[in-house]
Amino acid sequence: MDAGSRLWEHQGRDVITGFLSQVGHEPLPPTVGRNVLGRKVLYLPGFFTYARHIVEVDGKRGLFRGLTPRLISSTLSTITRGSVKKAFPLEDMEHVSNKDDVKTSLRKVVRETSHEMMMQCVSRVVSHPLHVISMRCMVQFVGREVKYSGVFSAIGRIFKEEGILGFFVGLVPHILGDVIFLWCCNLVAHFINTYAVDDNFSQASVIRSYTKFVMGIAVSMLTYPFLLVGDLMAVNNCGLRAGLPPYAPAFTSWIHCWRYLSAQGQLFRGSSLLFRRAPIPAASFPID
């Protein structure tokens, strides 16, 4: 699976409702529901309820906060990947074939994954400054701020207040997540296709074609904390309400942020957009 099309980055995590839930902004009270076992639990408002709240507060335009820098970021990422691909064309690389022996096929997977990793890391570095701006534009909803009102003004403000490094806060966990995702997805899919799928099975080729897709979903769940930490670092201690207490302490590093979320049991906060269980502190009071 190409890291440029990672599912967990294109299923709502970069829209305002998904990001606000990541930073822990819950303006609406949880509601009582039942889980699959029939037990009563508290659920936080889902995507559509949250979106309606944003429209009520901010109008329909509120749903599109941060859209412009996000589109520019995606465009830069696509252009960069294309440029790197032209500089190091895939045609010069051997692709995995069912006729390859185990050692040969594994070597090809490693080479292809290394190529994908290089493209993704370069495109991530180039597009990350606009990603930071997009996150900050969206999170202003929390404190009703207007500090970041446009792409060019945001660039000037970040450079003035934080310097060049301000454009790359949260970059490291994003890159680590990309790298881990790529290697785990490609290698596990390769071993499944090699050892678990029998060539004598009539639908073997069909199963192999979907293995990476399925593994992409599974691995993206495991690497989601890197995305969360990276996005939180992009807005942490930048002068916006959502990046300051009580939403979060001023983190000294992304590792500090990771440890804090881990201690709070919040490493997967915002990972779901529809069925969102209320955190333990909010669910500690009786609901019967």
Side-chain angles (χ1 to χ4, degrees), residues 117-180:
M117 180 182 68
M118 176 184 61
M119 288 195 300
Q120 179 60 20
C121 288
V122 174
S123 67
R124 175 69 74 180
V125 171
V126 172
S127 62
H128 193 73
L130 274 300
H131 178 75
V132 170
I133 294 173
S134 177
M135 298 294 102
R136 294 187 180 184
C137 288
M138 286 192 285
V139 86
Q140 289 183 129
F141 176 85
V142 176
R144 317 303 302 152
E145 296 131 321
V146 292
K147 184 177 180 179
Y148 298 93
S149 55
V151 174
F152 293 108
S153 62
I155 291 174
R157 182 176 289 274
I158 292 175
F159 183 77
K160 180 180 178 180
E161 296 181 355
E162 303 170 56
I164 291 294
L165 294 180
F167 294 104
F168 298 98
V169 286
L171 176 63
V172 173
H174 271 297
I175 288 182
L176 285 176
D178 290 341
V179 171
I180 293 172

Side-chain angles (χ1 to χ4, degrees), residues 4 8 13 22 28 61 83-84 92 95 136 140 183 248 270:
W8 46 269
R13 273 56 169 195
Q22 282 186 327
L28 302 174
R61 292 183 60 184
S83 300
V84 174
D92 293 346
H95 292 281
R136 294 187 180 184
Q140 289 183 129
W183 283 100

Side-chain angles (χ1 to χ4, degrees), residues 184-196:
C184 288
C185 182
N186 288 359
L187 289 178
V188 174
H190 167 70
F191 286 122
I192 290 176
N193 288 337
T194 302
Y195 297 105

